[in-house]
Amino acid sequence: MGHNLPIINGPPKQSHVKQLGGALKKDFPFDPEWLNLNHGSFGSIPNAMCARLRHYQDATEARPDQFIRYDYPRLLDESRAAVADLVNAPVETVVFVTNATDGVNTVFRNLTWAEDGKDVILTFSTVYEACANVADFIVDYYNGEIEHRPIPISYPLEDDEILEAFRDAVRRVEADGKRARVCIFDVVSSRPGVLFPWVDVTKACKELGVISMVDGAQGIGMVPLDLTAADPDYFVSNCHKWLHVPRGCAVFYVPLRNQHLLPTTLATSNGYIAKSSPRGSPLPPSAKGVFVNNFEFMGTKDNGPFLCVKDAIAWRRDVLGGEDRILAYLWDLNKRGSLHVAGALGTEILENSKGTLTNCSMGNVALPIWIGEKGENARDSDALVADKDAGTVFQWIARTMVDDYKTFMSLFVLNNRFWVRISAQVYLDMRDYEVAANVLKELSARVSAKWG
């Protein structure tokens, strides 16, 4: 498939490698009645990681001071080394935070904003809502002296069109006598779930003097990452979504050139070094750098998920056959499964001419349900709901999937039409997409009968 995927930590132990697909469901703690088609929202972990998490929690309770003060930093460094290898980054540039939103907040709360009121934060209209809220909070906190400008994009789009939309937005900011200070953008967008040309946008940021804040919430474990080559200013990716790590855990990458710009964590804790009156830490001394020390201990909390990162990477290598095998399976299942569901519904998938949008583990399928008026490619049998009913229908579909069908697919509206996002995973196969197609056909028929 020509993915150029990385191989990490040596070859898998072939005797333990399992077949990917539906048979793996028994290795996960799912309710037997539940079909997990929305891995992209909250992730899930195998039974083996449940056991590892419990192991670290038990070790913490057995000898709290020994574990938290002395064992935990060593184990944390092992996980940092494992994930640094996976994303091809120097180990001194990666730490862990609880989730991607935490990482984005850490950057934005630390940035020093110009006093001339000319700084502009750029986001794309498909930005994850929580990240857009971070930008809006900064605007509110500084009483409107900083501006937040969304860049409107509407899929399907070619990668070059997205890149040009970014460049045009920067030109418009400069034409208004302001400066594009920082841009938040995805690795894989959430809704719709499509691959974003984040490497090219990162490069354009560098050329145009814009800080790149990469929200890779959907990223590690579903697409290959080379952070040394991409060289973003800041990058965060949830390990608990696609890397089979317990919630919540995200890898936070900050190159050496930018680490001094983040003096505090959220919340500010023992690693902070005050300019006025620096004080010592009650924790054991460390020879590690200021950045790593700062994020090592941010107050007493369950950091067991951070320690599971190395175990999850090893499990993916030894049990699932390694990153190449996993990603190849996910991408192939995503493409074939999404097409099958669209074919069963008589609709379409969200894709561009080069097929790059589905180069990930999530696909988007149009439902035969329109809002307000039908589009050009609508069929006579498609449902049409009034604008005033759209919100009610949206919530009804979401809840009915859970209550009546024991599954969930992320629902969104695009171009006056309902769509669903389906997540491929190692415990799914084409039989599960057949179930998804049947569920969506029945749901669409029920909407048509009730509102259409």
Side-chain angles (χ1 to χ4, degrees):
M1 298 175 70
H3 301 329
N4 296 319
L5 306 182
I7 296 177
I8 56 118
N9 292 343
K13 300 172 183 176
Q14 297 296 334
S15 60
H16 297 140
V17 171
K18 295 190 175 186
Q19 181 178 348
L20 305 182
L24 271 177
K25 289 188 181 75
K26 68 180 187 309
D27 289 3
F28 286 75
F30 296 128
D31 183 327
E33 295 184 352
W34 181 260
L35 177 57
N36 206 53
L37 296 172
N38 186 36
H39 190 100
S41 280
F42 305 116
S44 184
I45 58 173
N47 296 325
M49 287 309 106
C50 292
R52 292 307 293 166
L53 177 61
R54 185 70 256 181
H55 164 78
Y56 295 122
Q57 292 170 333
D58 288 346
T60 305
E61 300 309 321
R63 299 185 179 187
D65 279 283
Q66 175 181 318
F67 190 84
I68 294 172
R69 293 177 184 273
Y70 302 106
D71 297 340
Y72 165 73
R74 172 181 54 81
L75 294 168
L76 185 67
D77 287 345
E78 292 176 5
S79 275
R80 289 178 46 246
V83 79
D85 189 35
L86 179 58
V87 300
N88 190 32
V91 69
E92 63 270 20
T93 64
V94 295
V95 293
F96 294 112
V97 291
T98 54
N99 54 58
T101 308
D102 193 352
V104 174
N105 270 273
T106 301
V107 172
F108 274 73
R109 302 295 183 92
N110 275 284
L111 283 178
T112 301
W113 303 92
E115 296 180 358
D116 58 11
K118 295 182 179 181
D119 282 346
V120 175
I121 301 168
L122 293 175
T123 62
F124 288 83
S125 56
T126 51
V127 64
Y128 185 59
E129 292 88 343
C131 292
N133 286 341
V134 176
D136 289 340
F137 167 79
I138 294 297
V139 173
D140 293 343
Y141 186 83
Y142 287 94
N143 297 315
E145 293 181 2
I146 297 167
E147 184 183 354
H148 172 201
R149 291 194 190 184
I151 304 170
I153 57 174
S154 181
Y155 287 100
L157 280 175
E158 306 301 327
D159 293 346
D160 289 345
E161 292 178 296
I162 295 174
L163 191 61
E164 182 54 34
F166 171 69
R167 291 183 178 278
D168 183 61
V170 175
R171 285 193 291 265
R172 290 175 181 272
V173 168
E174 293 175 347
D176 291 340
K178 296 191 173 186
R179 72 178 69 83
R181 181 71 189 286
V182 57
C183 183
I184 308 174
F185 51 94
D186 307 316
V187 171
V188 176
S189 298
S190 179
R191 289 182 307 278
V194 293
L195 183 70
F196 189 86
W198 70 278
V199 174
D200 290 338
V201 176
T202 298
K203 185 182 300 183
C205 283
K206 197 177 298 292
E207 293 172 3
L208 299 172
V210 180
I211 297 170
S212 53
M213 174 67 254
V214 184
D215 171 24
Q218 311 274 3
I220 190 169
M222 72 178 300
V223 296
L225 299 173
D226 186 338
L227 297 185
T228 295
D231 195 30
D233 288 311
Y234 304 97
F235 179 99
V236 64
S237 189
N238 287 332
C239 299
H240 59 250
K241 284 186 182 284
W242 296 92
L243 201 64
H244 299 118
V245 173
R247 308 175 198 96
C249 175
V251 56
F252 184 35
Y253 163 84
V254 181
L256 293 175
R257 67 178 182 274
N258 290 333
Q259 291 181 3
H260 70 285
L261 300 175
L262 304 184
T264 182
T265 55
L266 298 179
T268 301
S269 191
N270 287 298
Y272 180 68
I273 301 176
K275 295 179 180 179
S276 55
S277 56
R279 56 182 55 81
S281 168
L283 300 174
S286 170
K288 283 171 268 190
V290 171
F291 173 72
V292 172
N293 277 329
N294 206 2
F295 284 85
E296 186 167 274
F297 184 86
M298 292 180 280
T300 305
K301 59 182 72 174
D302 182 5
N303 289 327
F306 297 176
L307 306 185
C308 289
V309 171
K310 64 183 184 305
D311 302 311
I313 292 173
W315 181 81
R316 287 163 65 87
R317 179 194 66 218
D318 298 338
V319 177
L320 302 186
E323 298 302 311
D324 285 26
R325 184 174 187 247
I326 295 168
L327 269 62
Y329 181 84
L330 296 182
W331 288 23
D332 178 66
L333 180 61
N334 178 43
K335 290 173 183 287
R336 291 191 297 117
S338 299
L339 286 171
H340 172 81
V341 175
L345 296 175
T347 62
E348 60 185 322
I349 66 168
L350 191 61
E351 186 57 285
N352 59 21
S353 65
K354 295 182 180 179
T356 61
L357 298 184
T358 55
N359 283 345
C360 60
S361 306
M362 297 191 294
N364 309 277
V365 180
L367 298 184
I369 306 173
W370 299 83
I371 302 171
E373 60 180 346
K374 293 183 179 181
E376 294 180 1
N377 58 340
R379 301 177 303 171
D380 292 340
S381 59
D382 287 358
L384 178 64
V385 301
D387 288 319
K388 65 180 179 62
D389 295 326
T392 301
V393 173
F394 188 102
Q395 295 302 328
W396 181 88
I397 293 174
R399 185 66 199 225
T400 303
M401 276 193 280
V402 172
D403 291 346
D404 292 4
Y405 299 98
K406 306 299 184 287
T407 190
F408 192 86
M409 290 163 270
S410 186
L411 191 67
F412 62 97
V413 174
L414 178 66
N415 299 329
N416 259 25
R417 195 177 197 178
F418 283 95
W419 292 71
V420 292
R421 186 194 74 193
I422 307 176
S423 298
Q425 240 320 310
V426 295
Y427 48 73
L428 300 176
D429 53 38
M430 285 299 296
R431 289 169 293 186
D432 298 302
Y433 279 82
E434 292 168 4
V435 173
N438 291 333
V439 168
L440 294 172
K441 284 176 68 175
E442 190 169 324
L443 274 170
S444 299
R446 292 173 68 178
V447 169
S448 182
K450 192 169 183 177
W451 286 281

